[in-house]
Amino acid sequence: MTRPLTFLGIESSCDDTAASVVALGPDGPTILASVVRGQGSLHAPFGGVVPEIAARAHAERVDLCVEEALGTAGVSLSALDGIAVTAGPGLIGGVLSGVMCAKALAAATGLPLLGVNHLAGHALTPRLTDGVAFPYLMLLVSGGHCQFLIAHAADRFSRLGGTIDDAPGEAFDKTAKILGLPQPGGPSVEAEAAKGDPTRFAFPRPLLDRPGCDLSFSGLKTAVLRLRDGLVAEKGGLTETDRADLCAGFQAAVAEVLAVKTARALDAARDIEPGLTTLTVAGGVAANSAIRARLSGVAAVAVLPFVAPPLALCTDNGAMIAWAGLERFRLGHRDDLTFSARPRWPLDEGAAPMLGSGKRGAKA
Ligand code: KG4
Ligand code: ZN
């Protein structure tokens, strides 16, 4: 019997320090350990992730996370076949912490090293969790990203469209802030929305009148702000019902926009890849049950299976990086100790930069 291929994965691109050990044997992949250390409490007083605080916390914890992951997996460094690390895109100080740790380990052990694109980690997760076959469509929806990707192979992706301003998770977080709900905003807005009437307030459906798969979410957050200010001016404050109805209306608008654009992206993806196997979703916003339900409905209409990885593997983690490294390793990819940490790194380097991607170029 062939020995499993075993990889260590390290992730530190935002506010989670993570390390994981993933093994690929004849029966498929197994996550032997996955350690994720969040930094929520460090950033909470500032209402958002503070890059310097994140970088310092990653530098302090990353080697401890690696040690814990190896210990839990019962795997020594010498039993590994390779080391994968997020090399971007992300907050550069954090990415550097992980990359330096991985390079030091590779230099000391002589193990193969792979610098992985964080988005590839998310995009390949459905293969780790459900063995999804290429080609498939991935909707990546998180606090920092929103894009439709065709995964043709572990090293080849096409971006069909994405947000031209905020990511949906960012819009959930800002909505929570406007309404005085706790962060992260996604779960708290979803909980309020469950008690509310989605039809009471008229929310826009941004970009639905425009062809293509691009999305926009900043207008929805502004609509929440405007409606809140109107209610406050009229009645001096918000009732529980007002808050729940605002959350329900906002969430219904996000879910509908995502559903309609996903249906379009599926059509476009099938034109390019007629043998498309699956609709998949990943990223923190994929935790939202209303959004999952709408996407699952879109897949059913298109007569395609729908795969949403378990929540712990939808949000940032080290297993997806170990897996992406392992998949690239099997295709013959290797990096040497000179690769750079990249704050910006589009997964589909051939795609035109998204509108609003900034003067410094496309972020992702
Ligand atoms: O993928 P993730 O953990 O981190 C990155 O952004 O990379 O995603 C976090 C985002 C946050 O904006 C959070 O509010 C959102 O995912 N989120 C949700 C839900 N749970 C988390 N958004 C909507 N509904 C949820 N249940
Ligand atoms: Zn992520």
Side-chain angles (χ1 to χ4, degrees):
M1 201 187 83
T2 45
R3 201 178 67 83
L5 264 183
T6 307
F7 260 66
L8 171 68
I10 300 173
E11 156 62 33
S12 59
S13 64
C14 190
D15 59 349
D16 291 304
T17 319
S20 169
V21 180
V22 173
L24 176 63
D27 299 328
T30 310
I31 300 171
L32 299 178
S34 182
V35 177
V36 180
R37 293 281 168 265
Q39 303 175 358
S41 59
L42 295 177
H43 302 291
F46 305 97
V49 178
V50 184
E52 287 75 10
I53 293 176
R56 196 169 315 138
H58 286 304
E60 283 167 4
R61 297 167 186 196
V62 66
D63 53 344
L64 300 175
C65 286
V66 168
E67 200 171 14
E68 187 179 337
L70 290 169
T72 304
V75 168
S76 63
L77 277 173
S78 60
L80 292 173
D81 296 290
I83 298 171
V85 61
T86 299
L91 299 173
I92 192 63
V95 178
L96 269 170
S97 304
V99 166
M100 295 316 291
C101 176
K103 285 186 177 180
L105 287 171
T109 57
L111 285 168
L113 175 65
L114 286 102
V116 166
N117 185 310
H118 178 86
L119 304 176
H122 281 301
L124 294 170
T125 300
R127 290 174 52 74
L128 168 64
T129 56
D130 293 81
V132 172
F134 296 118
Y136 57 90
L137 181 69
M138 150 77 44
L139 167 59
L140 177 54
V141 270
S142 71
H145 301 287
C146 179
Q147 46 190 281
F148 292 107
L149 294 161
I150 302 177
H152 305 278
D155 58 357
R156 195 161 61 87
F157 301 90
S158 303
R159 194 187 64 211
L160 299 177
T163 183
I164 61 167
D165 43 53
D166 291 354
E170 200 177 345
F172 270 95
D173 294 340
K174 286 176 181 166
T175 292
K177 201 168 177 182
I178 291 166
L179 299 179
L181 298 167
Q183 296 293 326
S188 44
V189 169
E190 182 175 10
E192 287 295 313
K195 299 179 266 173
D197 171 5
T199 61
R200 176 171 156 207
F201 298 107
F203 276 88
R205 300 289 189 264
L207 295 194
L208 277 200
D209 53 351
R210 193 156 120 183
C213 310
D214 286 345
L215 303 120
S216 161
F217 295 99
S218 72
L220 286 175
K221 150 209 81 190
T222 311
V224 176
L225 183 64
R226 200 171 31 75
L227 290 164
R228 180 205 67 182
D229 288 350
L231 290 165
V232 170
E234 190 189 321
K235 310 192 288 191
L238 295 184
T239 64
E240 292 274 304
T241 310
D242 293 337
R243 197 172 277 125
D245 292 346
L246 284 169
C247 287
F250 163 81
Q251 181 177 276
V254 174
E256 185 174 341
V257 168
L258 285 172
V260 173
K261 292 283 177 167
T262 301
R264 274 189 214 169
L266 271 180
D267 285 343
R270 276 179 153 163
D271 283 346
I272 299 166
E273 288 279 14
L276 202 76
T277 67
T278 314
L279 171 64
T280 67
V281 64
V285 180
N288 186 289
S289 34
I291 293 174
R292 272 189 192 230
R294 289 299 300 268
L295 296 176
S296 162
V298 170
V301 169
V303 198
L304 275 182
F306 173 65
V307 169
L311 182 57
L313 295 170
C314 272
T315 53
D316 290 350
N317 64 87
M320 69 179 192
I321 302 303
W323 175 248
L326 206 153
E327 287 236 58
R328 289 178 60 81
F329 179 81
R330 293 175 74 214
L331 293 178
H333 294 282
R334 309 283 184 275
D335 289 306
D336 60 24
L337 292 173
T338 63
F339 74 81
S340 302
R342 298 173 63 174
R344 289 163 187 266
W345 187 3
L347 193 49
D348 177 358
E349 310 232 23
M354 299 298 302
L355 291 175
S357 62
K359 287 183 195 146
R360 284 171 291 162
K363 188 173 169 198

